């Protein structure tokens, strides 16, 4: 922690700040500059650093207080240098293969889900996505089939041998969703739903944590820290676009965050170009780009007839489109020394 | 709904779109322009409009599909022209008086809470704020006193005659928080926590719905619609700053949203300049500005010794600061024909 | 300057960084922490600090390099504690009065301009705004009357006794605009048009520097520093809204920036709620709020018939609207101990 | 143009809007809905559409006015379906090859520039980048060598056979920069510097137009339209990151904009991952991703000793790094059916 004193700070005020820092268990190293005094606080005390910083910044005679150590630990690559691999069914997420997770935005029926699942399987992929509990901006939209949707997903998975990733929104539903799903998706709107994070952290199912559309990379990693520090180390991160001023795309897919998170953390990173762009015609290009940027997996919305999909038709690709996407993604994966599975 | 056909759309494709629109129960009004055909869809069918738009946009031969009617109903001023008044204890929120809600960010102890509550009361105000369940970016921060904090708030309220506003984060806690609090605060991170919104919507306690730091005004009103359409009409909106590229302030307090929401909706609007700026030295100026912009209330973090506060010390003002703020806010309220209560 | 070494930095690497810092003329103060070494650099050498920081951050063994001293000098309140007053015609901008600058977005004709100018004068105000050179998003929009517009503004000013503020976009036009105008407006798109800033900095006309819609407060002050360090100290800043994800308003008017800049700088601050909101119906509320937040002046678009205005009709208020606005702004100005002139 | 009348609009008010629309030369097609009347305006009159929309939105009885036709013409793919190829020296930008443009951020000396130019040449590339006139946030930073820098670039280009891309900031310098450079770069801060755009539009040198860090795709294309409608059709667009709330990267590189612009426009699209990320360690990953997303070229900052670079060292890669980048980019280019030249 570095504390920059205000230019007008008196010796007594400097001593006051030093006393506070010492009181929290830090060692103190003042640097007397030409225009300002700077105080270095050394050590790793028990005190909550974020609040120490805030308390210091409240003082008239402190200009700013700056954290030096990153606000997350278990998820950092400093803590664990090798990338975490999460085994789900027959695949290993975070390993040499880029993992394709595909399926309908929303589970509509057993038949439609099965149709897409068979395609996913036939292309050699192992994970089916599909929504049973749906977060909807409007209370008047279809909110998903709920437990009935979970049952359909499980039945389709059992028939096809696919693993299932599906969203859980309510901490009260973590248990039941865990009974049906192989990976629990935490959606963008719930990235800082701490009670949900805690509940998933106490379980044992792998979690796919989407980035909040407002969240800095650092905050995303802190959300992951909630789950890991709760005991569940099987967390994968999912970039799905952030909110910016651009309106042509639904979100701005931040692929530089993929490369950045791979440096900062050992957790695998998935990319969702369907939500990330909101436009089906951009999904294939951004899938290729995600793999080229270093993603460990993709989450793709596929529907046999997107123009009849109950939800998110505008961003879903057809079965034909998915075959083409898989083909061009395989080439790019090979170009960066990986396979697509 | 207006559908803009692509320039290359054929007569068959135009007819296909018309058939879909008719199938949903709309009437169809095509306009054949020089470069594009535009199809107007008239009527208010049962179909989910958002998904109709998405399905149409998925078609190659549709350039865009535009909603005409606003995606919320009960919260709109069109639905109810007069401003909603919500009675809490002795005050009426949304009425002629601007309502001051003040207190510590986090409940730390009975004594500290009582000290600030007495100040609030002595200045003639009626609502005490204070956090018992705290949303924290880091899992290692103090997460609040929980139910013990609720008990302290209630005890202080009963001694001083103040009403209580406090946050609920988990749908499982709506019932217990409702037993202690007079107003349920839904925090910025939970604005689209739909299970929480539904739970609050099924209750009868007034809700204070903070704007998601990523949320457009339209989405904020749709979140309020979740609560109102669930049966609980006592919703007040709270502007608390949105996330932008500016880093000097913690958020960018969007006061134009106050004036805009007063046009679009009949719900009362509160402003939180403490969270909105993250800097105590800006709180008084922004409190005055909020009242001048038309706010129906303020939510202010006050602490006897902010530089020792467990949380959010940097944005809390002292008791002396609060007296000064109340004084200058009274003047501005009078200048716009209101009082401060 | 504070340099945080990477956790894995070796003693040789730490010495390398120290040598570089000493080479630039700083003194060196290392702090050896439990997990990282931090090096304080003390002194005010001639070297360009921004580039020293960048060079250090390029090193594998440096985690981050942090500036301590603000990147502007002459415009800071540290440099000059008292607020700068700029005298234009009969008014003093930055003094006890809030200065109203009003008029049409674009100069259309002598008659229309005179009509609005007379209204401005009759209400006791002294500055007329109006555009002769117009920045337009589309090359097919009307680009302003140019020099003919300047002549109209001057003629109207001479008849009514008002001072003129008008935009200059091209460094080649600074001389001619200076012949006609009393204040040179630098538009939001040109906030970092450095050749224009330098040209205005070498002149003697007061400048009104609008905030870039993408600019952090710190960058805005650095842009002002270009003008002041060039020799022209008569700079006023103008908040006009920043670009965010919100689409209901054209920009997000950042009134907290007004209060913040008043702390950081001695320059006067003007607010433009017309551009800031893009909606005439919000202009009066945001004018009041701007004054309550501490603005030294307002810039308002007024047109006798906004629905026939060549440009920006949607955000212009009528003569009747302006009379009402002036009235309610006077009350708020009085409530904060100022007058409106 | 579609005009949505307010719910309370009277027949007279509807007729008034119709009369205005007819007066501008449009045909009128009203649609009387259950809750609102919508008026379609058909035809392509001479009137400035943007201002018609604004004037209509100013009316109390109009809820919104929506443009149907895109606000640019010559740069749209609708106007010219095949991608534009721009020949510069031995390469064709927009053709089957992805064009690498690399070199130092800032020209520091003949020797350093030559050293990097030889590397660029030896890897089979044909375009050298380098800054002579530099836009700097601080007036105290090195502003570039100016004309001396241009002379160095030309001399190096003549020795190595490379073409030159360099920035022009001031309309007064378009002529002299055109004498030395092969491609004129317009920087992000000048994307809406209309006098500069006009000057470049009247010349014949190819232009590389960087996206304003605040600019929507639509505004970027309108800026390109300024140049093309001025007579200069040789425009390439350059995505270089937009400003968002994320602070880990300097900007957020928006690769979905690459794929989107390739749909909307026939102009070639270049990507600058150096400025886009501001971190050297992310440049290679984002270069690969840019090619996978469909970019026609890359703009890369390379320096023999980045930690001694006068400017932007933090985002420059070394010669060794550039060799590796070229290698992995060649693989990805091949995977998407292109070569790297």
């Amino acid at each position: 922690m570095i504390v920059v004193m205000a230019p007008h700070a008196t010796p007594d005020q400097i001593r006051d700040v030093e006393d506070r820092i010492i009181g929290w268990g830090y060692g103190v190293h003042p640097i007397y500059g030409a225009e300002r005094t700077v105080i270095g606080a050394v050590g790793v005390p028990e005190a909550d650093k974020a609040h120490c910083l805030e308390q210091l910044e409240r003082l008239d005679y402190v200009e700013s207080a700056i954290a030096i150590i990153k606000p997350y630990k278990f998820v950092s690559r400093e803590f664990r240098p090798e990338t975490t691999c999460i085994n789900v069914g027959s695949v290993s997420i975070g390993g040499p293969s880029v993992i394709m997770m595909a399926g309908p935005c929303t589970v509509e029926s057993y038949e439609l889900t099965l149709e897409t699942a068979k395609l996913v399987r036939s292309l050699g992929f192992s994970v089916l996505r599909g929504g049973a509990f749906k977060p909807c901006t409007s209370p008047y939209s279809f909110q998903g089939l709920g437990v009935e949707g979970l049952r359909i997903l499980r039945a389709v998975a059992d028939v096809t041998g696919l693993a299932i990733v599906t969203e859980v929104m309510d901490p009260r539903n973590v248990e039941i969703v865990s009974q049906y799903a192989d990976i629990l998706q935490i959606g963008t709107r719930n990235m800082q739903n701490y009670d949900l994070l805690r509940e998933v952290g106490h379980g044992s199912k792998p979690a796919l944590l989407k980035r909040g559309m407002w969240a800095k990379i650092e905050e995303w990693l802190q959300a992951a820290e909630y789950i890991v520090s709760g005991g569940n180390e099987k967390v994968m991160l999912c970039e799905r676009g952030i909110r910016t001023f651009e309106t042509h795309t639904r979100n701005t897919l931040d692929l530089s965050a993929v490369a950045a998170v791979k440096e900062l953390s050992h957790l695998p990173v998935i990319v969702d170009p369907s939500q990330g762009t909101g436009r089906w015609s951009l999904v294939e290009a951004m899938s290729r780009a995600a793999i080229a940027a270093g993603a460990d997996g993709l989450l793709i919305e596929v529907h046999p007839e997107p123009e009849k999909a109950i939800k998110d038709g505008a961003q879903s690709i057809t079965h034909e489109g998915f075959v083409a996407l898989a083909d061009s993604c395989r080439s790019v994966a090979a170009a960066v020394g990986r396979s697509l599975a």
Side-chain angles (χ1 to χ4, degrees), chain A residues 112-122 128 156 160 162 319:
Chain A
L112 281 174
T113 308
L114 182 64
E115 192 180 338
T116 297
K118 284 181 172 170
L119 174 71
V120 170
R121 190 89 204 106
S122 74
L128 180 71
V156 167
T160 54
L162 295 169
H319 282 198

Side-chain angles (χ1 to χ4, degrees), chain A residues 81-151:
Chain A
E82 65 281 7
T83 295
T84 288
C85 278
I86 300 170
N87 294 311
V88 176
S90 60
V91 296
S92 179
I93 301 167
S97 293
V98 177
I99 306 305
M100 176 68 79
M101 311 179 187
C105 171
T106 302
V107 173
E108 301 176 30
S109 71
Y110 177 79
E111 290 70 24
L112 281 174
T113 308
L114 182 64
E115 192 180 338
T116 297
K118 284 181 172 170
L119 174 71
V120 170
R121 190 89 204 106
S122 74
L123 291 168
F125 304 136
S126 300
V127 186
L128 180 71
R129 59 147 294 155
F133 293 99
K134 297 298 303 175
C136 302
T137 308
S138 166
Y140 307 120
S141 294
F142 176 60
Q143 313 271 322
L145 290 174
V147 177
E148 174 59 21
L150 296 176
R151 285 203 196 97

Side-chain angles (χ1 to χ4, degrees), chain A residues 208-211 220 236-240 270 272 299:
Chain A
L208 182 147
L209 178 64
K210 290 200 162 186
R211 182 180 183 186
W220 189 18
M236 57 199 99
L237 301 163
C238 179
E239 162 63 32
R240 48 78 67 206
I270 313 299
D272 179 345
L299 200 62

Side-chain angles (χ1 to χ4, degrees), chain A residues 167-242:
Chain A
E167 181 160 352
V168 58
M169 296 161 60
D170 187 328
R172 294 170 296 192
N173 289 338
V174 169
E175 196 178 325
I176 191 156
V177 178
S178 297
Q179 287 169 19
Y180 291 95
D182 300 291
I183 304 172
L184 304 181
Q185 176 178 315
I186 297 168
T188 181
R189 294 170 176 85
N190 284 312
M191 192 201 85
Q192 292 185 325
N193 181 337
Y194 299 117
D195 293 291
L196 179 62
L197 298 180
R198 271 187 280 261
E199 203 71 34
V200 171
H202 294 148
S204 62
K205 285 280 174 181
L208 182 147
L209 178 64
K210 290 200 162 186
R211 182 180 183 186
M213 62 187 102
W214 67 89
K216 295 188 189 195
I217 289 170
E218 188 173 280
E219 294 163 336
W220 189 18
L221 291 172
Q222 285 176 289
E225 187 87 3
Y226 261 92
I227 302 174
V228 174
S229 69
N232 184 350
E233 298 195 349
K234 289 174 278 183
V235 177
M236 57 199 99
L237 301 163
C238 179
E239 162 63 32
R240 48 78 67 206
I242 56 174

Side-chain angles (χ1 to χ4, degrees), chain A residues 18 21 49 61 82 100 103-104 109 182 244 296 305 308 321 337:
Chain A
E18 292 177 345
I21 292 171
K49 271 155 245 134
Y61 39 93
E82 65 281 7
M100 176 68 79
S109 71
D182 300 291
T244 71
D296 297 301
E305 292 183 279
K308 293 186 184 163

